[in-house]
Amino acid sequence: QAKAAGRNTVSFFDPTMQARVSARAALEADMRRALGNDEFVLHYQPLMSVDGTMAGVEALVRWKHPQRGLVPPAEFIPVAEESNLILPLGRWVMREAGSRLAQWSGDTRTAGLEIAVNVSAAQFHRPDFVEHVLEVLAQTGARADRLRLELTESLLLKDVEGTVGKMQQLRAAGVSFALDDFGTGYSSLSYLHRLPLDQLKIDRSFIWSAVKEDSGAAIVRIIVLLGKALNMSVLAEGVETQEQLNFVIAEGCQYYQGYIFSKPLPEPELLTIIAGL
Ligand code: C2E
Ligand code: MG
Ligand code: MG
Ligand code: MG
């Protein structure tokens, strides 16, 4: 029987693995229920320009679990990505962001804001992805030039031709693109210039090490130069201290996000901050 299971499988009973598999299955079933029950919610983290104005917000999903309280994405996005649940969840996030954009366009204080939405690989590589985004914009009445999609390096590596095609179609409609967590994945400089990206987001690990180690500072410097050379803006992620903020401004980053200004907030709290600016 062990042979039939294949050469690389563990052929003895592993209780911890068994437990993990059933915990995952339970989480998956719970997520499926939660999708039908409208338990997901978006929080919004300000994306700040170094001149002190708010350029937009990043939409970050949370799960309002009836028993567990507010569950952070790190605890369910990976499971959603391994099952197909990331597709309905991703569609929900897109629609919700579109509705917010449409609503915000009616108020001068929020009309100029962009919303950046995180897109998973499985979602992006679906053949109907472009169609779906355009449909959401049409149905919600959101302006395409207020929508920014955040993609990751690994997502872009797969099928570069097809990826560029999809990005160009959406860009023609006005949608913009950011490369999230830049520097942590497997970027290839040979194709980075072929991708129609508008922004590089420097991963927070580099921002944190930049004020401690020369090597971190060098990486931030190089990414800023790269962004300039490729005509992309550069945003520093995870800025927590004044020292980090001073550093990224001195290095020429145009945007930042981080706890130094604000954590991701529920919409009413975000609007309160905006009203006070
Ligand atoms: P991300 O896209 O890189 O989002 C930034 C994360 O950094 C957020 O974590 C944010 O709360 C956190 N962050 C921002 N500033 C600071 C700071 O100054 N200090 C620290 N320690 N953290 C900071 P969050 O909300 O827990 O999201 C984690 C990840 O989950 C996101 O990373 C993204 O990859 C994923 N995610 C969130 N929402 C969605 C979604 O709607 N769809 C998809 N596919 N993924 C999502
Ligand atoms: Mg992001
Ligand atoms: Mg990020
Ligand atoms: Mg990150």
Side-chain angles (χ1 to χ4, degrees), residues 180-181 203-204 237:
D180 206 354
D181 306 329
D203 189 69
R204 63 176 187 238
E237 292 191 289

Side-chain angles (χ1 to χ4, degrees), residues 219-242:
I219 288 169
V220 171
R221 204 159 289 150
I222 290 293
I223 296 177
V224 171
L225 287 174
L226 190 62
K228 287 217 169 91
L230 297 176
N231 224 352
M232 300 170 190
S233 67
V234 175
L235 179 146
E237 292 191 289
V239 176
E240 293 187 344
T241 68
Q242 190 61 46

Side-chain angles (χ1 to χ4, degrees), residues 19-54:
R20 239 180 295 138
V21 168
S22 57
R24 164 153 308 212
L27 181 58
E28 228 181 278
D30 203 17
M31 276 190 75
R32 212 169 294 260
R33 180 197 55 75
L35 273 165
N37 209 26
D38 218 18
E39 288 175 15
F40 293 94
V41 63
L42 293 183
H43 282 190
Y44 303 91
Q45 185 177 37
L47 304 172
M48 301 302 293
S49 168
V50 294
D51 69 16
T53 59
M54 197 185 296

Side-chain angles (χ1 to χ4, degrees), residues 45 58-62 73 77 86 93 118-120 150 180-181 204 208 237-240 257-259 264:
Q45 185 177 37
E58 177 171 4
L60 295 154
V61 70
R62 275 94 179 90
I77 290 281
I86 195 66
V93 169
N118 292 284
V119 176
S120 286
E150 296 198 358
D180 206 354
D181 306 329
R204 63 176 187 238
W208 293 351
E237 292 191 289
V239 176
E240 293 187 344
Q257 77 186 98
Y259 295 173

Side-chain angles (χ1 to χ4, degrees), residues 97-206:
S99 312
R100 284 315 109 210
L101 275 179
Q103 217 162 59
W104 294 355
S105 69
D107 184 324
T108 50
R109 285 171 301 188
T110 48
L113 294 178
E114 288 191 338
I115 297 188
V117 172
N118 292 284
V119 176
S120 286
Q123 208 185 337
F124 183 86
H125 291 300
R126 289 267 304 188
D128 63 354
F129 179 71
V130 171
E131 205 184 308
H132 176 249
V133 175
L134 296 177
E135 195 181 279
V136 165
L137 291 169
Q139 286 175 353
T140 57
R143 281 178 58 156
D145 64 354
R146 296 288 183 266
L147 179 65
R148 171 162 301 200
L149 301 180
E150 296 198 358
L151 310 178
T152 57
E153 292 166 274
S154 55
L155 178 157
L156 295 173
L157 269 180
K158 194 185 151 198
D159 178 22
V160 179
E161 291 305 316
T163 297
V164 170
K166 283 182 175 178
M167 291 173 76
Q168 277 167 347
Q169 281 181 62
L170 285 167
R171 253 189 153 209
V175 176
S176 65
F177 290 91
L179 186 47
D180 206 354
D181 306 329
F182 186 61
T184 57
Y186 302 92
S187 271
S188 159
L189 295 178
S190 68
Y191 72 76
L192 197 57
H193 74 281
R194 293 174 46 208
L195 297 166
L197 289 162
D198 302 274
Q199 182 171 78
L200 298 176
K201 297 187 76 174
I202 309 178
D203 189 69
R204 63 176 187 238
S205 59
F206 301 119

